[in-house]
Amino acid sequence: MKRLRVLVPTVLVLLTMPGIAHAQWSSPGGGRSYTRADIAPTGNRPAVSVSGRNVAVSWAVAKFADGASVSGYIVKRYDAGTGTPATINASCTGTIAALTCTEAAVPPGSWYYSVTPKHGAWLGTESPASPTATIASPSLTFTSATTITALPAVKAATIASFVTGETVTWRLDNPSTGTLLTGSIVPTPVPASGSSSASVTIPAATADGPHTVYAVGSSGASTASAAISVDTLPPVVSAAVIQKATGGIPGYVAQGGTYRVYASIIDPGSAITAATANVSTVTTGATASALTAGSWTISGVTYNYRSVLVTASNPLAAGSKAFTITATDSFAHTATTGGFSVIVDSTRPTATYLITANKAGGTAGLAETGDSITYVFSEPMEPESILAGWTGTGTAVTLRLLNANGGGGDRVQIWNAANTAQLPFGTVRLGSTGYTTTSINFTNSTMTISGSSITVVLGTPSGAGTTAVVSSNTRWNPSTTATDWAGNTCQNTSVNEPVPVDPEF
């Protein structure tokens, strides 16, 4: 009660002093009270200091006009790029009575801070923005080689910008579900600097190729990764083939013919530094024909290495010849892979016989749409040698039916779809006249291969033909331009239609 008697007169004196408004803000307890006429203090621009994921914010005291200090401060953080307010973490929340606070676990980014004086229920003016505080993203850096040539392997590393107090777990290729790795950090847990030395073991079962190691902080606020590459195995040769220099069907070559070796070689862990083919069974002395990188597709298979042109020995016995591919990677892992072969065939194909066929319901002796002519060879022929780019599937051509010019009867020739170049079938003489009185072009005819036979089905005629009613002995004079799969040219030996003779088409 004695204290109350002292305070009451003091308040009365203040209320009766000139220049002081009667309305006032009160401070709780027995502290000083201020009227609305007092000048509101502005917060002083704070300074910032970054250590790892922690930002120490400090500022000078804010004072009233009479020199008295405010009782506390409100600290705020903003995105430095957008000015958007951010949720500030513990240690800098609420009213700060001191002139400093340290915000822990600050997210990566660029930030600035402000302080606003606070006295009881009263707030002053927010300070100017602090200098920018930049928080780096969590990082994992290997300090030893990132290409691993032997497993298991212990790799040294460092982590940085992790949250103070975190422990760290390690995973391979996925931060949540990847293989759990053995690893440690020193010091542990993460110190205030956010950085520690680290050690992580890559296990023996890790496959060759690129991988990602993840360091995962226990708070959930820090995850970092770094790439490694595992290369403990030699290159893998998955396919290889020999193709004659003229292209087309692979796997065949003639004695004295030129060819290339193609191979598909991969090494998931490193670069391939050398590749060679041992084709000494085909070319005497060719034990290490160099292969160079590129991309080629043969019969639907893509190869990434190819040799220069190589010439097969002559003479060279017919039959299957084995060859191997040797590849070396950048860590000197070398492997020689076999199981590849090529067929040597030096026998020239021949024309065997020729057949014409009348379509169902057609007129015998009249060449018309849907009729066909089939050329039969002694062995399968190279489609590429008949028509550039042809694989043997149905393709458009033009069949020319020509009126007799001299002896031997009317003639049949096969030309390309544009009817500008004759294809290497030679000429068929139908043995008699009567099939046409002029030249007829059957455009959009279709040519296909089946085994050793090539069949042309007649397309749309450019004019009307005539009906031959006499039987004739058709004769086929083949071209020597067409080749078999090994590149042997066809013999120029004429053949007659098999007996019995009858009207064609």
Side-chain angles (χ1 to χ4, degrees):
M1 294 302 295
K2 183 176 181 180
R3 183 178 180 183
L4 290 175
R5 288 195 296 270
V6 173
L7 288 175
V8 171
T10 301
V11 174
L12 291 175
V13 170
L14 288 173
L15 292 175
T16 58
M17 289 178 63
I20 301 296
H22 290 280
Q24 66 180 34
W25 298 102
S26 62
S27 179
R32 181 180 174 184
S33 298
Y34 295 93
T35 69
R36 294 183 187 275
D38 284 327
I39 298 174
T42 297
N44 292 300
R45 185 190 189 201
V48 291
S49 176
V50 177
S51 177
R53 296 281 289 277
N54 307 314
V55 179
V57 186
S58 59
W59 57 91
V61 64
K63 296 184 179 181
F64 290 99
D66 64 356
S69 301
V70 298
S71 60
Y73 304 86
I74 302 298
V75 179
K76 295 180 180 179
R77 173 164 52 86
Y78 296 85
D79 186 302
T82 64
T84 304
T87 300
I88 202 160
N89 296 333
S91 300
C92 284
T93 56
T95 301
I96 308 298
L99 300 177
T100 183
C101 71
T102 297
E103 185 183 15
V106 179
S110 295
W111 312 97
Y112 66 81
Y113 289 78
S114 72
V115 292
T116 301
K118 185 175 187 298
H119 194 85
W122 173 84
L123 291 175
T125 303
E126 187 174 10
S127 73
S130 72
T132 299
T134 300
I135 304 298
S137 296
S139 64
L140 168 64
T141 304
F142 284 107
T143 56
S144 54
T146 56
T147 298
I148 298 169
T149 58
L151 293 172
V154 179
K155 308 304 294 179
T158 58
I159 60 169
S161 201
F162 273 60
V163 170
T164 302
E166 284 187 311
T167 56
V168 174
T169 56
W170 303 85
R171 290 191 181 271
L172 187 67
D173 294 331
N174 185 289
S176 302
T177 61
T179 300
L180 192 63
L181 304 177
T182 300
S184 61
I185 61 170
V186 176
T188 187
V190 174
S193 66
S195 299
S196 290
S197 297
S199 175
V200 60
T201 299
I202 310 304
T206 305
D208 271 22
H211 295 277
T212 303
V213 175
Y214 289 89
V216 182
S218 56
S219 73
S222 306
T223 298
S225 65
I228 61 169
S229 180
V230 175
D231 185 5
T232 61
L233 301 174
V236 175
V237 182
S238 59
V241 73
I242 285 176
Q243 184 188 51
K244 59 187 179 294
T246 53
I249 303 295
Y252 294 81
V253 68
Q255 63 181 6
T258 53
Y259 63 92
R260 296 181 190 270
V261 183
Y262 295 83
S264 294
I265 309 173
I266 59 171
D267 191 309
S270 66
I272 296 167
T273 57
T276 60
N278 182 344
V279 287
S280 57
T281 58
V282 182
T283 301
T284 301
T287 58
S289 295
L291 306 179
T292 55
S295 181
W296 302 271
T297 300
I298 301 171
S299 297
V301 179
T302 299
Y303 300 90
N304 60 347
Y305 279 84
R306 185 183 77 170
S307 73
V308 297
L309 284 174
V310 185
T311 301
S313 298
N314 190 3
L316 181 62
S320 179
K321 309 294 181 182
F323 66 95
T324 61
I325 304 294
T326 299
T328 303
D329 67 19
S330 56
F331 295 97
H333 299 133
T334 299
T336 297
T337 305
F340 310 116
S341 63
V342 63
I343 300 295
V344 175
D345 172 15
S346 300
T347 301
R348 296 178 66 186
T350 61
T352 301
Y353 60 91
L354 179 137
I355 299 174
T356 62
N358 184 28
K359 70 176 181 179
T363 301
L366 175 66
E368 55 189 331
T369 301
D371 289 350
S372 65
I373 182 168
T374 299
Y375 301 81
V376 182
F377 295 86
S378 60
E379 60 180 299
M381 300 299 285
E382 172 56 65
E384 187 80 29
S385 72
I386 304 293
L387 179 63
W390 187 36
T391 62
T393 58
T395 190
V397 294
T398 300
L399 182 144
R400 287 187 181 184
L401 179 60
L402 306 174
N403 184 242
N405 182 11
D410 296 336
R411 291 167 293 147
V412 172
Q413 295 175 351
I414 309 299
W415 288 61
N416 62 6
N419 199 22
T420 57
Q422 185 177 355
L423 303 187
F425 287 96
T427 298
V428 173
R429 290 191 175 274
L430 298 177
S432 67
T433 59
Y435 295 96
T436 181
T437 59
T438 184
S439 296
I440 302 175
N441 297 323
F442 287 84
T443 57
N444 293 317
S445 298
T446 302
M447 176 174 67
T448 56
I449 281 183
S450 176
S452 300
S453 301
I454 301 177
T455 299
V456 178
V457 177
L458 278 61
T460 304
S462 60
T466 57
T467 303
V469 295
V470 297
S471 298
S472 59
N473 188 4
T474 298
R475 188 172 185 82
W476 171 26
N477 298 310
S479 167
T480 59
T481 302
T483 72
D484 62 14
W485 288 355
N488 299 297
T489 58
C490 186
Q491 298 183 51
N492 186 20
T493 302
S494 299
V495 294
N496 293 327
E497 180 185 22
V499 293
V501 296
D502 55 3
E504 307 308 320
F505 303 107

